[in-house]
């Protein structure tokens, strides 16, 4: 979408909901519309107004179990598939009560609706956005997959342990009347990702995988001293020259009189990714650091299979 860096939003209000995860309603009421002035992070976290929602949660526990999830080729679903079996997940969530970034304010989950201004003189060109943000999001998620089934053959099991997400935000809006534009930002840490395979208990694991805007310490330093700051971002919807990530469904002309349905994604990204240890079996390959990632432009197309041509 064509946007400028000027953002117009409804003023925000405060609603505190405890013990009710992810259950909320948005009420549209008359409110004052204005252009935001830049505020520092502490001011933004403490700001309240007359519209939008702030949501707090206190030690919410969610347990999920599922016998099987299968992804299959529609042309031959009985033989061509990957199945995830005996899935168990446990998550604990809290926000609004803990100041994770030590800035003096316990941030909450904010849900709001606003617009990015295409042309400051023509309000009909304003592009609506849904905004979600939580600068202090405490979570701990564990997921176990008892068996991974590849076309009828068991290839192992998987574990994700200690998945935390202390800070995140998302802007989501329309893309030229079809598809979506979005910007995602997050700082995350996963204590361990592990894939168990083979009959003798071999495994591949990644420990303390982190993604953030940057890390203060050198890559070769002790991983226990790494300090993450900022957020790893995908898309940039609010920059002076905005370039949000986008996803759309369309039709590609193959040049031979036929067309193919496709899912198309375009995005940019920036940030850093590190892990304290990568291990195959008992063999450690040491720590990993990919700092200063700058993906200026990336395009992904996924053509439909088994859908036939569109006349």
């Amino acid at each position: 979408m064509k946007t400028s860096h000027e953002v117009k939003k409804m003023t925000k209000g405060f609603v505190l909901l405890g013990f009710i995860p992810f259950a909320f309603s948005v009420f549209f009421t008359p409110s004052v519309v204005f252009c935001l002035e830049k505020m520092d992070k502490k001011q933004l976290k403490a700001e309240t107004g007359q519209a939008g929602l702030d949501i707090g949660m206190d030690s919410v526990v969610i347990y999920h179990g599922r016998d099987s999830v299968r992804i299959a080729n529609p042309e031959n679903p009985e033989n061509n598939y990957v199945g995830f079996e005996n899935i168990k997940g446990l998550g604990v969530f809290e926000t609004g009560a803990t100041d994770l970034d030590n800035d003096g304010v316990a941030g909450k989950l904010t849900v709001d609706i606003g617009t990015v201004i295409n042309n400051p003189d023509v309000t009909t060109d304003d592009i609506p956005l849904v905004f979600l943000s939580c600068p202090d999001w405490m979570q701990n998620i564990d997921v176990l997959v008892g068996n991974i089934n590849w076309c009828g053959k068991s290839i192992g099991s998987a574990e994700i342990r200690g998945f935390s997400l202390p800070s995140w935000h998302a802007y989501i809006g329309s893309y030229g009347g079809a598809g979506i534009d979005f910007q995602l930002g997050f700082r995350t840490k996963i204590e361990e990702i592990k894939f168990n395979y083979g009959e003798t208990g071999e495994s591949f694991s990644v420990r303390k995988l982190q993604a953030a805007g940057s890390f203060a310490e050198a890559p070769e330093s002790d991983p226990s001293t790494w300090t993450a700051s900022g957020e790893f971002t995908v898309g940039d919807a609010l920059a002076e020259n905005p370039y949000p990530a986008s996803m759309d469904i369309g039709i590609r002309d193959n040049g031979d009189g036929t067309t193919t349905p496709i899912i198309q994604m375009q995005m940019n990204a920036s940030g850093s990714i590190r892990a304290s240890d990568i291990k195959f079996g008992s063999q450690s390959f040491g720590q990993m650091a990919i700092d200063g990632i700058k993906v200026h432009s990336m395009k992904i197309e996924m053509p439909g299979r088994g859908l036939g041509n569109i006349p």
Side-chain angles (χ1 to χ4, degrees):
M1 61 183 175
K2 296 181 179 179
T3 60
S4 78
H5 66 286
E6 187 176 10
V7 180
K8 182 170 64 178
K9 292 185 67 180
M10 299 179 184
T11 52
K12 298 189 298 181
F14 173 77
V15 176
L16 181 62
L17 303 177
F19 301 96
I20 308 179
F22 314 120
F24 54 83
S25 299
V26 178
F27 299 92
F28 295 93
T29 57
S31 60
V32 178
V33 179
F34 67 101
C35 290
L36 287 177
E37 294 182 0
K38 185 176 181 180
M39 295 187 290
D40 62 34
K41 184 177 179 181
K42 186 174 182 179
Q43 288 175 312
L44 286 171
K45 290 175 66 176
E47 186 249 342
T48 61
Q50 297 176 350
L53 294 174
D54 278 354
I55 300 172
M57 295 186 292
D58 184 7
S59 300
V60 175
V61 179
I62 298 176
Y63 174 79
H64 178 74
R66 197 161 190 88
D67 291 337
S68 178
V69 174
R70 179 177 290 191
I71 303 172
N73 179 349
E75 295 179 346
N76 189 2
E78 295 301 319
N79 297 307
N80 297 335
Y81 66 88
V82 56
F84 303 93
E85 302 168 354
N86 192 20
I87 303 169
K88 297 179 180 180
L90 178 65
V92 181
F93 305 89
E94 183 175 301
T95 187
T98 306
D99 179 17
L100 296 179
D101 54 8
N102 299 314
D103 65 353
V105 178
K108 298 163 286 294
L109 171 61
T110 296
V111 182
D112 209 347
I113 298 173
T115 56
V116 171
I117 298 174
N118 251 344
N119 184 341
D121 300 321
V122 183
T123 58
T124 55
D125 284 346
D126 295 355
I127 298 175
L129 288 173
V130 176
F131 171 65
L132 300 96
S133 175
C134 192
D136 293 306
W137 177 264
M138 180 178 287
Q139 76 170 38
N140 186 72
I141 297 176
D142 295 327
V143 178
L144 305 178
V145 180
N147 184 50
I148 302 175
N149 190 324
W150 185 275
C151 299
K153 180 178 177 58
S154 176
I155 61 172
S157 61
E159 307 170 27
I160 299 175
R161 298 186 182 274
F163 175 25
S164 62
L165 188 71
S167 173
W168 62 272
H169 78 273
Y171 289 93
I172 305 173
S174 64
Y175 172 69
I180 60 171
D181 279 343
F182 61 92
Q183 173 182 318
L184 302 176
F186 53 88
R187 188 169 73 252
T188 186
K189 182 177 181 180
I190 302 175
E191 289 297 323
E192 184 177 36
I193 300 175
K194 189 175 184 180
F195 174 55
N196 305 296
Y197 60 92
E199 298 180 355
T200 58
E202 296 96 336
S203 65
F204 166 75
S205 65
V206 179
R207 292 187 53 81
K208 298 189 183 304
L209 178 66
Q210 301 183 64
S214 62
F215 294 86
E217 295 76 20
E220 63 273 15
S221 61
D222 183 348
S224 66
T225 67
W226 289 348
T227 304
S229 62
E231 294 181 342
F232 191 100
T233 59
V234 178
D236 194 354
L238 304 181
E240 187 169 354
N241 296 305
Y243 182 20
S246 64
M247 183 171 66
D248 205 350
I249 299 174
I251 298 173
R252 181 176 62 196
D253 186 347
N254 297 323
D256 59 359
T258 64
T259 55
T260 302
I262 60 169
I263 298 174
Q264 185 181 89
M265 296 183 66
Q266 298 186 77
M267 65 184 70
N268 55 32
S270 64
S272 297
I273 299 173
R274 292 189 180 187
S276 67
D277 187 32
I278 298 176
K279 182 181 290 187
F280 277 95
S282 61
Q283 178 63 52
S284 172
F285 287 82
Q287 58 213 58
M288 178 271 291
I290 307 175
D291 288 350
I293 297 171
K294 292 287 185 183
V295 180
H296 296 284
S297 180
M298 178 172 63
K299 182 177 180 180
I300 302 172
E301 286 190 358
M302 293 177 281
R305 297 180 60 188
L307 299 178
N309 293 327
I310 298 176

